[in-house]
Amino acid sequence: MERENSYVSPNVDLEDGWGDEGSYEQSMERQASVQSAGIGGAGVEKEEVDKNGFIVQKLENIEKTQWRIVRETNETLGLTDDQSIILLRAFKWNTEKFQDKWLSTDNHSKLLIEQGLEFDQKIAKSFPYVNATLKSANQGYCQICYSQFNSTNAKADSLKCGHEFCSGDWTDYLSARVNQGFQFCISTTCPQHQCNMAVPHSMFVKYLTGADLKTYQKWFCKSYTDDNKKVRWCPFAGCDYCVIYKDGGIMEVNCKCGNSFCFKCGQESHKPSDCDNTKQWNLKNSAESENITWIMANTKDCPKCNKPIEKNQGCNHMTCRLCRHEFCWLCTGDWKEHGSATGGYYQCNKYDAAKKSGDQTILSKEKKIDDAKNELKKYMFYFERFNNHHKAEKHAKELLPVIQNKILMLHDVKNYPVGELNFLEEAINQVVRCRQVLKYTYVHGYYIKNEMELNLFQSMQEMLEKFCEHLHELIEKPLDPYLDPNIIERTPFYRYRDEQFARGR
Amino acid sequence: MQYSSAVVTPRIMKETKLLLEKTPPGVRVTVSEENPRHFLFDIQGPPGSFYEAGIFKVEIFLPSDYPMSPPKALFRTKVFHPNIDKVGRICLDILKQDKWTPALLIEKVVLSIQWLLGAPNLDDPLDTSVADVFKASPEHAEKTAREWVQLYAK
């Protein structure tokens, strides 16, 4: 395959590639220089698999993995970069499935035509004008900008289909597609109407520059990560790390951005609650359903116009503000039927009588309201505590830089060895972790049906809560007293530390 | 090459010239005097269709990034058609960003609109109430369509 541009693809087997902190451009430059030195075989990779069996990587490293797969496919099947990329994408980056398909069929051109890698003669036949705008037929004019091809700035270029356009128009066209978004970018075809030739990777790299090229690289990577079940982006805002699942059963990822999330569902870490319950809970927190429960618990519908009414004061004689209908709050019957006969104007013995006699309609209505009220109470109980831990977790996270600063100060002012101060950071991290777990214990608890299980769970929850609160309290204590340079005695500080150790563990 | 709304690009000039010189049959074109990116077409209903006797006014506007973005087209004549709504918006694939390609022309758009009049697409309706009439009773739809032509497209 001919390469006209110095940067086509990053090489995969870089010796110093991993853990590189350099900027994207720098790494691109470096990749380009390695590229020009020639392509070697796939080398041995250094992968940092964390204790949970995940590899947390930056965007450019993901790209390297992606290119390794492309290269391997090239070597096995004798394809070019462009062909492998488009075909692999069609098979959702499932190399085995693609190779099986490729090796089990002789009709490769059918596969290539389907993916827009070969020109489909059938289309040219059924849409004659697809052929009519080839260079020979369009009198030497570019079909996009209408300048003549042999004029100064219009160098013609085309895909395999032969539909030629000026290089400047290619740039404009591809830039427009890239900026329209991911879906548009990866489905880009030849600008000729009805021509289904796919625009390959090399074409984008050839004509795009600067921000457009960067955006393209992003989409290119996304085409790999989004279709791949073993890859997931960190869901936290502003984090561009990507996580590859290697093996092992733990689905919890500690991302390098400091947050942790569940690999299975992509939500924030939610141990001990499971994915489904957590999802349901989050939905509950955000959805209208709770409003509806409240409305059910605290309002009755006007019997005439069916608008919900909340009774916040006054007697049982209700007058609907909307339709002026007068009714009794207790039995929702017409007020006209109420009077001395029903036990006085402000009493409703109809209601009591119905209740006594066991009128099913009234009783079932009552039960519904009671259930809703209880459900709402239960939910409010759990939500309040969930929210409380959520806020505490946030505060603890905010405390981390403060503590780190204090560690430095204690080291500078009082000459404590750094090793002896690390417990402070450990403690704050422990608090964050505990808060996170505690937060989701309330989700878990909310969905527990078995009473015995619930009792056991609650006592454990209580214990964790107690220790966590204590540790949190200790870590929030001002460290300033220990910073006084005039006091040389270190015992109080060590006592403080030992207390933390004793409580925190 | 940077396209801007103030500038008429060589492509637009060429297209305008082509449109004025070789106007497709059944179409009349006027270019707005204030804005050379604004076109007004009189499109004749295709023969044999419900709309055959009518002349329909269609406005076409070229956005600043034309031809990278599709032109905007709007019916200025009321028409009883499942793919054209009350305010004249048109549901046509090549007018959407994902099916439009810069190698298409204003002329092709106009011809497609004319073709759409003759071939209502009931699977992808823009105005569902009109589509329902077309589905339930084609005779009734034809009657209404022809009435509207008499009322508005003369």
Side-chain angles (χ1 to χ4, degrees):
Chain A
M1 193 195 130
E2 203 181 272
R3 290 193 169 80
E4 297 188 13
N5 197 295
S6 66
Y7 167 67
V8 174
S9 57
N11 204 341
V12 287
D13 50 348
L14 291 174
E15 290 294 316
D16 60 342
W18 304 104
D20 194 318
E21 293 302 319
S23 71
Y24 195 62
E25 287 94 320
Q26 276 172 347
S27 81
M28 300 264 282
E29 262 172 45
R30 199 197 55 232
Q31 283 156 359
S33 66
V34 174
Q35 182 67 39
S36 56
I39 308 158
V44 183
E45 259 180 63
K46 285 179 221 154
E47 285 178 336
E48 286 171 31
V49 184
D50 73 3
K51 64 178 192 300
N52 290 355
F54 291 101
I55 308 167
V56 182
Q57 287 187 337
K58 272 256 179 211
L59 184 74
E60 54 260 38
N61 285 350
I62 292 286
E63 214 183 309
K64 275 179 214 155
T65 315
Q66 188 178 359
W67 275 107
R68 200 193 65 229
I69 296 172
V70 171
R71 288 284 146 73
E72 279 170 8
T73 314
N74 285 353
E75 279 175 27
T76 326
L77 305 177
L79 297 167
T80 65
D81 280 358
D82 286 345
Q83 286 174 327
S84 292
I85 290 167
I86 289 174
L87 289 166
L88 278 167
R89 194 189 294 149
F91 283 85
K92 295 199 180 299
W93 295 91
N94 188 335
T95 357
E96 282 171 29
K97 204 171 149 197
F98 166 54
Q99 291 189 1
D100 280 356
K101 174 87 185 174
W102 184 265
L103 296 171
S104 66
T105 172
D106 289 332
N107 196 357
H108 290 162
S109 74
K110 187 183 161 227
L111 209 61
L112 291 173
I113 285 174
E114 266 172 19
Q115 298 307 327
L117 286 162
E118 294 283 346
F119 187 47
D120 190 353
Q121 296 299 335
K122 258 190 244 151
I123 287 187
K125 260 177 218 152
S126 47
F127 301 100
Y129 59 87
V130 175
N131 260 352
T133 40
L134 291 175
K135 193 180 178 185
S136 50
N138 65 14
Q139 296 132 16
Y141 284 99
C142 166
Q143 291 291 298
I144 296 181
C145 68
Y146 276 81
S147 37
Q148 232 159 347
F149 277 133
N150 50 11
S151 67
T152 43
N153 58 351
K155 195 174 159 249
D157 197 0
S158 74
L159 302 173
K160 271 190 186 167
C161 53
H163 299 121
E164 292 191 303
F165 304 99
C166 300
S167 46
D169 293 316
W170 273 107
T171 306
D172 286 344
Y173 175 59
L174 296 182
S175 155
R177 293 296 289 192
V178 163
N179 290 316
Q180 277 157 17
F182 173 64
Q183 283 306 331
F184 286 100
C185 173
I186 61 158
S187 61
T188 305
T189 53
C190 167
Q192 181 57 42
H193 184 51
Q194 297 288 6
C195 176
N196 74 338
M197 281 294 287
V199 177
H201 179 77
S202 60
M203 210 62 177
F204 281 100
V205 174
K206 187 170 163 190
Y207 285 109
L208 294 178
T209 50
D212 289 340
L213 182 60
K214 241 185 198 174
T215 314
Y216 172 71
Q217 294 289 353
K218 199 168 94 193
W219 296 148
F220 176 62
C221 217
K222 197 174 154 71
S223 78
Y224 168 69
T225 55
D226 277 26
D227 281 344
N228 201 321
K229 278 195 176 133
K230 286 185 170 177
V231 180
R232 196 185 261 285
W233 290 97
C234 173
F236 285 88
C239 172
D240 57 356
Y241 276 107
C242 199
V243 174
I244 304 172
Y245 180 69
K246 264 298 182 204
D247 45 23
I250 302 170
M251 290 306 240
E252 205 179 51
V253 185
N254 298 314
C255 181
K256 283 183 182 163
C257 70
N259 292 305
S260 52
F261 63 94
C262 169
F263 189 82
K264 206 169 155 193
C265 64
Q267 301 177 100
E268 174 187 32
S269 264
H270 52 65
K271 275 199 297 192
S273 171
D274 64 26
C275 297
D276 286 348
N277 282 347
T278 310
K279 202 171 163 192
Q280 215 176 327
W281 174 265
N282 287 336
L283 206 71
K284 211 176 165 71
N285 285 347
S286 59
E288 280 289 285
S289 74
E290 288 320 302
N291 284 341
I292 291 161
T293 321
W294 187 91
I295 288 171
M296 272 193 61
N298 295 287
T299 70
K300 281 182 184 176
D301 290 350
C302 164
K304 202 168 167 200
C305 68
N306 290 326
K307 283 278 173 303
I309 297 169
E310 181 195 2
K311 177 178 156 71
N312 48 14
Q313 56 173 328
C315 64
N316 291 329
H317 180 183
M318 306 295 291
T319 308
C320 174
R321 278 203 191 168
L322 289 164
C323 67
R324 313 304 304 169
H325 177 64
E326 292 175 42
F327 66 97
C328 165
W329 178 254
L330 287 175
C331 69
T332 62
D334 200 322
W335 190 253
K336 281 185 204 124
E337 292 160 19
H338 289 67
S340 49
T342 59
Y345 271 107
Y346 296 100
Q347 305 249 312
C348 178
N349 58 10
K350 264 175 89 177
Y351 176 73
D352 290 330
K355 239 177 142 179
K356 247 180 228 160
S357 66
D359 187 328
Q360 279 309 312
T361 48
I362 283 193
L363 282 183
S364 73
K365 245 191 219 168
E366 285 278 295
K367 198 175 173 307
K368 242 190 197 160
I369 292 169
D370 264 10
D371 286 353
K373 260 187 188 156
N374 285 339
E375 166 60 32
L376 190 69
K377 251 191 203 154
K378 182 182 161 195
Y379 172 70
M380 284 311 291
F381 175 87
Y382 282 92
F383 180 73
E384 226 178 282
R385 279 150 188 81
F386 172 85
N387 206 21
N388 194 20
H389 283 298
H390 178 70
K391 279 182 190 151
E393 183 198 337
K394 233 170 93 187
H395 289 149
K397 270 183 185 162
E398 283 163 10
L399 207 61
L400 182 66
V402 180
I403 297 277
Q404 280 167 338
N405 211 4
K406 290 251 168 83
I407 291 178
L408 282 180
M409 272 166 72
L410 276 167
H411 176 65
D412 288 348
V413 178
K414 302 279 283 186
N415 296 320
Y416 286 104
V418 179
E420 280 188 26
L421 295 166
N422 278 346
F423 75 95
L424 284 168
E425 204 176 326
E426 261 173 55
I428 189 73
N429 284 331
Q430 198 63 39
V431 169
V432 171
R433 190 76 198 98
C434 282
R435 290 288 182 194
Q436 212 173 59
V437 170
L438 277 169
K439 193 167 117 183
Y440 282 99
T441 55
Y442 283 100
V443 179
H444 186 66
Y446 181 77
Y447 290 103
I448 289 184
K449 296 258 153 51
N450 186 331
E451 203 172 322
M452 269 194 12
E453 197 188 328
L454 188 65
N455 282 340
L456 184 66
F457 182 74
Q458 274 172 347
S459 78
M460 277 154 72
Q461 183 183 39
E462 208 182 301
M463 224 140 72
L464 180 60
E465 218 159 31
K466 201 171 82 190
F467 289 127
C468 178
E469 290 295 344
H470 190 84
L471 186 62
H472 203 161
E473 200 186 313
L474 282 174
I475 195 87
E476 273 184 335
K477 266 191 187 171
L479 287 167
D480 303 331
Y482 309 108
L483 272 167
D484 189 343
N486 298 321
I487 302 171
I488 301 161
E489 176 62 29
R490 286 183 179 185
T491 333
F493 180 75
Y494 284 122
R495 199 179 297 141
Y496 167 76
R497 186 188 69 175
D498 293 343
E499 196 179 357
Q500 281 214 5
F501 268 119
R503 282 296 177 190
R505 293 300 157 93
Chain B
M1 217 177 303
Q2 215 28 265
Y3 300 110
S4 107
S5 68
V7 183
V8 172
T9 60
R11 153 143 183 176
I12 296 179
M13 272 194 309
K14 180 103 182 174
E15 267 201 80
T16 311
K17 202 171 149 229
L18 206 76
L19 271 171
L20 293 170
E21 280 170 8
K22 289 186 198 164
T23 315
V27 175
R28 202 165 49 229
V29 57
T30 330
V31 187
S32 159
E33 274 170 28
E34 297 100 60
N35 187 349
R37 286 170 168 267
H38 191 191
F39 298 81
L40 198 72
F41 289 90
D42 290 327
I43 301 176
Q44 212 174 348
S49 73
F50 303 168
Y51 312 92
E52 60 184 331
I55 304 285
F56 299 88
K57 287 196 187 309
V58 174
E59 224 177 333
I60 287 187
F61 179 74
L62 309 179
S64 60
D65 54 350
Y66 180 81
M68 294 309 156
S69 280
K72 301 194 184 324
L74 209 61
F75 264 82
R76 278 286 172 239
T77 305
K78 257 177 93 104
V79 52
F80 191 76
H81 190 285
N83 309 103
I84 299 157
D85 75 1
K86 284 194 201 77
V87 291
R89 286 177 297 201
I90 307 163
C91 181
L92 184 64
D93 60 350
I94 59 163
L95 287 175
K96 306 245 168 78
Q97 189 77 64
D98 52 338
K99 285 285 186 302
W100 167 259
T101 84
L104 280 164
L105 301 167
I106 305 171
E107 184 198 346
K108 292 274 186 308
V109 171
V110 173
L111 290 175
S112 299
I113 290 173
Q114 193 178 33
W115 166 85
L116 182 73
L117 280 173
N121 177 3
L122 292 178
D123 298 327
D124 189 16
L126 187 60
D127 192 325
T128 43
S129 61
V130 174
D132 288 343
V133 177
F134 267 76
K135 271 182 210 157
S137 145
E139 302 83 35
H140 185 62
E142 177 170 1
K143 198 171 149 259
T144 318
R146 286 189 189 277
E147 268 171 26
W148 283 33
V149 168
Q150 292 304 320
L151 280 170
Y152 309 110
K154 280 289 165 189

